[in-house]
Amino acid sequence: MTETGNVIELRNVRKRFGDFVAVEEADFSIREGEFFAMLGPSGCGKTTTLKMIAGFEQPTEGEVVLNGVDVSRVPPHKRNVNTVFQQYALFPHMTVADNVRFGPRSKKRSRSDYEASVTEMLDVVRLGDFAHRKPAQLSGGQQQRVALARALVNLPSALLLDEPLAALDLKLREAMQFELKRIQREVGITFVFVTHDQGEALTMSDRIAVMSEGRVEQIGTPEEIYNSPATLFVAGFIGSANLLPGEVRGFDGDDTIVELNSGAVVRSRATRSNEIGAPVSLMLRPERLRASAEANSNGRSLDGTVTDLVFQGATARLGLRLADHSEVVATVGTGTDLPFLLPGATVHLEWDPGAAFLLTGWPSRPGATADDIDTLEAHATS
């Protein structure tokens, strides 16, 4: 570990393919023992960034530093990192144990030196009882754990994972999220995880780098990314959000007063980075809204017309249309009797102080990001 505690540093890294800029000014560090995710839609540059860390691509400009040493021009096999891809590339003719032994053997280590490590790593991934099986005799999740054990047995400085859960079905994928985090904590090695699935990133990561069009939009903890997004893109890409355009009208103690394009005057968390008259967007997460038949005048409510109510099990998705015809979504509990939530009815949405968040600028499409088909397609593809 370096004096800074950083295993990986990207210093003003830029990657071009001809005239196309795939990564623009990546400048961040990844810490020792950290589970770090790079998250973004297809074509945002996350996989190219991972390949530059691994050595499969070289930066056009800038430096890739591993354990304090510039490895920008060092080939992959000479970097102390291992990579796990979507396709696990296990050797079908070898047993599970022999697949894990492959790394130490290729490094010419003596069997007495590595055999205990192989056994220990199989126990970490909970496959000790499957050591003599062939990959074809394993489930998809078990094959993935063999690939992890094979990559980790040499104790690399960092393990790089390029969407390794993409080939798994939904239930197994969700279970493997917790398994990956458990394994990472047990071995204490830095994991760098590339995904387009924001749920995966939020579940597993210590920090997340959200990327768009080759640029890092924000780096922070899952809580910071979700509750205090730095840009409109981050707000819309992470989870579901209502983004309502308006202008700053003034300040009152801890609140910023905003007049929305729908005509409503509301209060939000104070921010002095925007002057009076500045265009802003009010972000409201659906789960932080409450539906009420009674209006209040505290500046933390919106009036809308019910368009639909969709049952989703423990909760229901409530859709409303505001005066400017933008759509807003709220999450309501289905265990509560809400007879006033009928299509065409006027409903008041309320929120607690601190639940609303202001962002600079206006969204390309106001309202609920979950209704934006372009956003949904970005979430579903990579």
Side-chain angles (χ1 to χ4, degrees):
M1 184 177 70
T2 63
E3 292 182 2
T4 62
N6 298 324
V7 174
I8 298 166
E9 295 178 54
L10 299 181
R11 299 176 180 172
N12 300 312
V13 168
R14 196 166 190 251
K15 179 62 179 179
R16 298 174 60 96
F17 295 99
D19 294 332
F20 175 69
V21 179
V23 177
E24 182 70 71
E25 292 299 318
D27 192 73
F28 59 88
S29 302
I30 301 172
R31 302 165 187 155
E32 171 93 8
E34 183 174 38
F35 200 121
F36 187 90
M38 290 190 289
L39 171 69
S42 177
C44 72
K46 58 188 185 295
T47 296
T48 300
T49 303
L50 191 80
K51 287 180 176 180
M52 287 191 287
I53 296 172
F56 299 118
E57 296 285 356
Q58 292 184 349
T60 307
E61 300 173 18
E63 298 176 349
V64 177
V65 177
L66 180 63
N67 290 324
V69 178
D70 182 0
V71 295
S72 304
R73 300 296 182 265
V74 174
H77 67 279
K78 292 187 176 180
R79 301 189 188 192
N80 191 28
V81 295
N82 280 344
T83 307
V84 176
F85 298 99
Q86 290 184 29
Q87 304 301 323
Y88 310 133
L90 300 177
F91 298 109
H93 61 287
M94 292 185 183
T95 65
V96 166
D98 282 339
N99 267 279
V100 178
R101 292 186 183 107
F102 179 80
R105 280 176 175 170
S106 65
K107 292 181 180 293
K108 309 298 183 182
R109 290 169 56 186
S110 66
R111 182 160 187 155
S112 60
D113 178 44
Y114 64 71
E115 199 59 33
S117 298
V118 171
T119 301
E120 179 183 1
M121 200 53 63
L122 285 173
D123 288 341
V124 167
V125 299
R126 298 177 179 172
L127 288 175
D129 294 337
F130 296 80
H132 299 294
R133 293 194 185 184
K134 300 289 182 64
Q137 298 173 295
L138 304 177
S139 68
Q142 289 168 336
Q143 290 181 28
Q144 183 194 60
R145 282 183 277 158
V146 175
L148 286 169
R150 185 176 64 181
L152 289 168
V153 72
N154 287 322
L155 299 179
S157 296
L159 181 67
L160 314 179
L161 302 111
D162 187 10
E163 305 212 43
L165 307 183
L168 304 179
D169 63 64
L170 179 60
K171 288 294 184 182
L172 184 54
R173 188 171 182 159
E174 291 174 346
M176 281 304 302
Q177 292 175 19
F178 294 100
E179 276 294 284
L180 270 178
K181 187 60 181 174
R182 177 191 64 79
I183 292 168
Q184 191 266 338
R185 283 175 175 163
E186 284 195 26
V187 297
I189 291 173
T190 299
F191 278 27
V192 183
F193 185 89
V194 160
T195 182
H196 67 273
D197 187 316
Q198 40 109 354
E200 286 182 357
L202 292 171
T203 297
M204 295 187 289
S205 307
D206 298 314
R207 286 192 305 152
I208 302 170
V210 184
M211 298 184 67
S212 173
E213 298 181 345
R215 293 183 177 274
V216 175
E217 297 266 332
Q218 184 176 2
I219 296 177
T221 66
E223 293 81 6
E224 290 168 346
I225 295 287
Y226 188 81
N227 293 319
S228 303
T231 65
L232 287 167
F233 172 82
V234 175
F237 190 75
I238 303 295
S240 178
N242 299 296
L243 299 175
L244 306 177
E247 292 185 356
V248 174
R249 288 291 177 249
F251 304 95
D252 182 16
D254 292 334
D255 292 335
T256 298
I257 311 301
V258 178
E259 181 177 358
L260 300 178
N261 289 5
S262 64
V265 177
V266 298
R267 292 172 174 264
S268 180
R269 291 188 238 170
T271 172
R272 301 288 173 166
S273 60
N274 293 298
E275 299 177 350
I276 293 177
V280 292
S281 292
L282 184 78
M283 183 189 81
L284 293 165
R285 296 291 187 188
E287 70 275 9
R288 305 196 73 174
L289 295 172
R290 299 185 304 273
S292 172
E294 302 294 330
N296 71 54
S297 57
N298 65 3
R300 297 186 179 89
S301 69
L302 290 170
D303 298 341
T305 302
V306 175
T307 57
D308 56 38
L309 184 65
V310 180
F311 178 78
Q312 295 179 320
T315 61
R317 177 185 181 278
L318 174 64
L320 295 97
R321 182 178 294 110
L322 304 185
D324 64 348
H325 300 290
S326 58
E327 298 288 337
V328 171
V329 171
T331 301
V332 297
T334 51
T336 305
D337 185 20
L338 300 171
F340 57 91
L341 297 181
L342 299 173
T346 297
V347 170
H348 311 282
L349 291 180
E350 303 175 352
W351 60 90
D352 293 328
F357 186 74
L358 277 188
L359 292 151
T360 300
W362 287 359
S364 57
R365 181 175 182 268
T369 58
D371 289 339
D372 188 339
I373 190 63
D374 294 329
T375 300
L376 290 174
E377 288 177 348
H379 281 228
T381 60
S382 178

